[in-house]
Amino acid sequence: MAATMATMAVTTPVVAGLGGSSLRRRAVSPSKVQLTSGLKFSPFNRDWLRRDLSVVGFGLIGWLAPSSIPVINGNSLTGLFLASIGPELAHFPTGPSVTSPFWLWLITWHVGLFIVLTLGQIGFKGRKDGYWSVLL
């Protein structure tokens, strides 16, 4: 019994094909796989975000400046958003109602901020990596 188990551990697993033939599986490490173009497969880059605080700083300034221009009936988007927080906090245990303008200002302000931060990240890293030099 022990000898049978020892031989089972040494042999490689066999996969039966559709035609009754068998194929032996080989363990291949992902770093050794080569693509058809001849490039080596590289594992996922762990630093995919490549955080840079200058992008966050410039993005925040880049969103606060245009969102603070008074174009909505003499008010700015930032001003309307910040002014809507106070009345909602006045009745704190209960949250804002569904029809409250707070939700409109909250969603609009944050969607704009995230768009500016995303485009800033793309533009800043693209310029740093030289992606835009091909287009210019």
Side-chain angles (χ1 to χ4, degrees), residues 78-130:
T78 302
L80 289 168
F81 173 52
L82 294 176
S84 68
I85 294 173
E88 298 303 331
L89 285 176
H91 53 82
F92 169 64
T94 51
S97 68
V98 177
T99 59
S100 173
F102 167 76
W103 296 113
L104 174 67
W105 308 133
L106 174 96
I107 291 170
T108 306
W109 197 88
H110 281 91
V111 165
L113 175 67
F114 296 147
I115 288 172
V116 168
L117 287 174
T118 302
L119 293 176
Q121 179 78 354
I122 292 169
F124 190 84
K125 295 302 177 181
R127 183 175 181 191
K128 190 174 184 182
D129 292 345

Side-chain angles (χ1 to χ4, degrees), residues 67-80 105:
S67 68
S68 297
I69 298 171
V71 293
I72 306 171
N73 294 330
N75 294 321
S76 67
L77 179 60
T78 302
L80 289 168
W105 308 133

